[in-house]
Amino acid sequence: MTSSDTVSSLLPKTADIINPMTWMALGESVRGASHVRHDLPNQDSLDYWPDTVAKSVALAVSDGHGSTKCFRSDRGSQFAVDAAMEVMKELAGRTGSTADQIREIKLLLEDGRVARSIFVRWNEKIKADLARDPLATAKHGEASESVTAVAVGETAGTEGGTGTVLPSTPNVFLSKEEREPYGATLLVGLITDKFGLFLQLGDGDMVALTDAGDAELVFDHDPEQIANETKSLCGVNPLPDFRSKFQVWSGHPPKLLMLSTDGYPNSFSQPEGFLKAVSDIHGILSKGEDGELNTRSRLRGWLRSASEQGSGDDVTVGVLYRANHDVSHREPADIQSGNRAALPCDQDCDKDRRAHANDEPPILTRGGFVPPDTPHRTALSISWGSCFGPFGCVCIMVVVLGALGAFALGVGVGAFAGNRNWFSHTSQPPLSNRDDVSQKPEKNRQGCCNCSGSGLK
Amino acid sequence: MASTSINTPGGAMAKRPLHFFYLCDCSGSMSENGKIQALNQAVRDSIPFMIAEADGQPGVDLLVRVVKFSDRAEWHIGSPTSVESFVWNDLQPEGTTLMGAAIRMVADQLKMPPMEQRALPPVIVLITDGQPTDDAASAVDELLSRPWGKKAIRIAIAIGNDADEDILRKFIGNKELEARCLLQAQNADQLVALIKWASTAVIKAASAPPSTPVGASAANINVPTPPNPSNGNTDDVF
């Protein structure tokens, strides 16, 4: 376990902690162009919590290896994010306002108990999966000597009430042979109004956008991890390979944290291009609620484009960002449904699904992201997207005046009712935010408009 | 090739580079029994298959370079050349076999930089018919000391029976892989088949490598099975 040199060694006193701030999370995962070509599933996984503005938010992404030996790595990546999110929620639940409570969580991270707890739970989930769906050659109960050596001798729980963060199952680790089919990486972030906690095992990138606007890698690239070789949860002894950082917000916290599987950074011709993407996405997000809605409706298309023009790999991106606009006038449920109902579902989601099926390029309608080869879509997108764009005022006036006129004439009621769908919750069945929905029915679910990456607006 | 699209956040996107190196022996002995003619023809004939293979791999930019070695080692194609632009100019045999110098030239190119973090595992195909006349062993050590050299798919094709198998084994660097990566061509047909295999099946394997745990195996790529060496005209031997 390595720990950041930049981690604050002197925690601030309670009185020094800056005013509470709120965060939000979003993310998407798309099946890689190469995986489509070779009829492979999306082996990445993503989860975040909660869906609403909150003082504490958590995010995890994982990349299943997909090799012949890791033939259940799509499940392995899902188990990894599930395990991580369980632990992050528990940590967030014990987050208090005192320096002692923060110090306790910092200690849990830095002495390896957070990583170990995630690893234990990942093993438990594999064990349950093996019970449901045994491997032909699995040797259940044959523990890995090297990993067991880490586990045995440690006691359950921690003095001071760490509770379930450290399960009382010291010998739960499966053998490497049992874990190998599920091999995956893991990146985890937990951000509260007081601190940030970061954990990474294997490839992929974690980038923080500082308050000054600089996009910086949280963990430097590991020179061992090239040519598709990566540290892994299925390694012989993966616990020491976890890298961690803990940062108390004694000054300004980052504006944004992005976690991505390697399919995204590998899609950029230069590393700087990837860092610029972090800044660009924040630039759109920071345009208030409209920017957030725009990002959520565009992200899937951006990622699909990255895979098609770049790496060909599965691409997964999750973002935690400071919710820096005033949301007090909207209830969390409204925000949630608003995000997911950015498109009128009964119309445009069908178009989006067709666009996905035809592998059309993403249609990006705002912030200058309009593909030059789709003028007809541009016209359409201005029509739908004008509520946010620079032409918004003019279009809103036209629409409002038209609607009022129609209403006055008694013929516009239906159209008016239809437009209310903009910020109403959809009744469409939820879709996973991973492309191969059938692979992962329990995935972090989002509403109908989660399929709106191609953004037919 | 980088895309200049401005429709997505961030900088230009590009497929991942797959660097492919031919190291070709042009020593005087290659002039015997039509070896150099067979080599020239085999590489030239393999190009359309190479292009087709690269076409079928999303996310891959196949870039070819060639080193020739005899009395000296030099780039026959020095710039990473997109396979669509790859043109083969015939090699001419003369002189000795400075294989070590050629391997060092490739090793230099596998430093980081110029290699990119995002690159796919390189493929190095060494084709020779004889004994190196320089210190090839230390050159192989240098190659394998580079992270990208170690992770490269290394294929050795011995033409005839006089190649130095010890140095070729050292170049492969993995006993488990010798059966698939240390190959012998006894005639022109076999050489054509092996070069075609190296420039298609091996590229396919390198183009979509699954992620594997660090240190899980000496070779992170499943090198495909080479063609049957018994194929070809057995009367027309090198």
Side-chain angles (χ1 to χ4, degrees), chain A residues 139-146 148 171-176 178:
Chain A
K139 299 174 183 176
H140 301 295
E142 183 180 303
S144 162
E145 288 182 13
S146 56
T148 304
N171 202 19
V172 73
F173 300 137
L174 300 169
S175 69
K176 180 179 180 300
E178 287 170 306

Side-chain angles (χ1 to χ4, degrees), chain B residues 3-14:
Chain B
S3 161
T4 55
S5 169
I6 58 167
N7 301 319
T8 51
M13 297 202 173

Side-chain angles (χ1 to χ4, degrees), chain B residues 8-79:
Chain B
T8 51
M13 297 202 173
K15 297 178 177 183
R16 296 175 71 184
L18 196 172
H19 295 283
F20 186 97
F21 296 90
Y22 275 123
L23 279 75
C24 298
D25 188 341
C26 298
S27 60
S29 58
M30 285 291 287
S31 63
E32 300 167 5
N33 301 320
K35 293 176 193 168
I36 198 73
Q37 290 87 346
L39 171 60
N40 285 325
Q41 192 63 40
V43 176
R44 184 179 294 108
D45 290 351
S46 73
I47 293 174
F49 297 101
M50 246 177 141
I51 293 171
E53 192 61 60
D55 245 9
Q57 302 299 333
V60 178
D61 187 14
L62 179 58
L63 300 166
V64 183
R65 276 175 278 186
V66 181
V67 183
K68 59 182 179 182
F69 55 95
S70 53
D71 284 338
R72 58 179 181 163
E74 60 183 326
W75 290 107
H76 191 51
I77 297 177
S79 302

Side-chain angles (χ1 to χ4, degrees), chain A residues 33-34 37-38 65-68 203 221-222 224-232 234 262 264-269 273 276-277 280-281 302 305-306 309-312 364 368-372, chain B residues 1-3 5-16 55-60 112 117-121 147-148 151 204 208-222:
Chain A
S34 172
R37 177 74 64 99
H38 298 294
H65 300 330
S67 64
T68 307
D203 60 22
H221 286 140
D222 181 345
E224 279 192 84
Q225 296 184 151
I226 57 170
N228 284 43
E229 286 194 24
T230 177
K231 306 282 177 60
S232 170
C234 75
D262 66 342
Y264 195 46
N266 281 344
S267 294
F268 292 92
S269 61
K276 182 176 181 296
D280 287 351
I281 288 173
W302 292 336
S305 175
Q309 296 178 35
S311 68
L364 311 171
F369 296 141
V370 180
Chain B
M1 195 68 66
S3 161
S5 169
I6 58 167
N7 301 319
T8 51
M13 297 202 173
K15 297 178 177 183
R16 296 175 71 184
D55 245 9
Q57 302 299 333
V60 178
M112 205 158 74
Q117 175 93 18
R118 64 193 287 271
L120 289 159
W148 279 112
K151 294 181 192 298
K204 183 178 183 180
S211 293
T212 51
V214 170
S217 165
N220 66 332
I221 304 293
N222 288 321

Side-chain angles (χ1 to χ4, degrees), chain B residues 3-232:
Chain B
S3 161
T4 55
S5 169
I6 58 167
N7 301 319
T8 51
M13 297 202 173
K15 297 178 177 183
R16 296 175 71 184
L18 196 172
H19 295 283
F20 186 97
F21 296 90
Y22 275 123
L23 279 75
C24 298
D25 188 341
C26 298
S27 60
S29 58
M30 285 291 287
S31 63
E32 300 167 5
N33 301 320
K35 293 176 193 168
I36 198 73
Q37 290 87 346
L39 171 60
N40 285 325
Q41 192 63 40
V43 176
R44 184 179 294 108
D45 290 351
S46 73
I47 293 174
F49 297 101
M50 246 177 141
I51 293 171
E53 192 61 60
D55 245 9
Q57 302 299 333
V60 178
D61 187 14
L62 179 58
L63 300 166
V64 183
R65 276 175 278 186
V66 181
V67 183
K68 59 182 179 182
F69 55 95
S70 53
D71 284 338
R72 58 179 181 163
E74 60 183 326
W75 290 107
H76 191 51
I77 297 177
S79 302
T81 301
S82 177
V83 68
E84 289 85 3
S85 307
F86 177 32
V87 176
W88 185 255
N89 294 314
D90 282 354
L91 300 171
Q92 304 299 327
E94 59 174 353
T96 56
T97 311
L98 294 185
M99 183 193 295
I103 292 172
R104 279 198 175 85
M105 289 173 68
V106 172
D108 279 347
Q109 293 302 309
L110 296 182
K111 292 177 184 171
M112 205 158 74
M115 282 294 288
E116 313 94 316
Q117 175 93 18
R118 64 193 287 271
L120 289 159
V123 177
I124 308 172
V125 181
L126 172 60
I127 305 168
T128 181
D129 74 331
Q131 312 282 324
T133 52
D134 61 352
D135 184 5
S138 67
V140 171
D141 288 338
E142 185 178 329
L143 175 71
L144 299 184
S145 72
R146 307 252 187 259
W148 279 112
K150 194 160 51 181
K151 294 181 192 298
I153 302 176
R154 300 177 302 278
I155 306 290
I157 300 175
I159 300 177
N161 293 318
D162 298 330
D164 184 340
E165 283 199 19
D166 288 341
I167 196 67
L168 297 185
R169 282 200 179 85
K170 186 176 177 68
F171 173 76
I172 301 303
N174 182 345
K175 283 195 181 304
E176 293 173 30
L177 290 178
E178 283 179 8
R180 281 177 287 165
C181 296
L182 178 49
L183 310 169
Q184 191 170 37
Q186 293 289 9
N187 55 52
D189 289 342
Q190 288 180 7
L191 184 60
V192 167
L194 291 177
I195 287 179
K196 182 181 173 187
W197 168 79
S199 58
T200 54
V202 174
I203 285 174
K204 183 178 183 180
S207 294
S211 293
T212 51
V214 170
S217 165
N220 66 332
I221 304 293
N222 288 321
V223 179
T225 304
N228 187 340
S230 64
N231 289 344

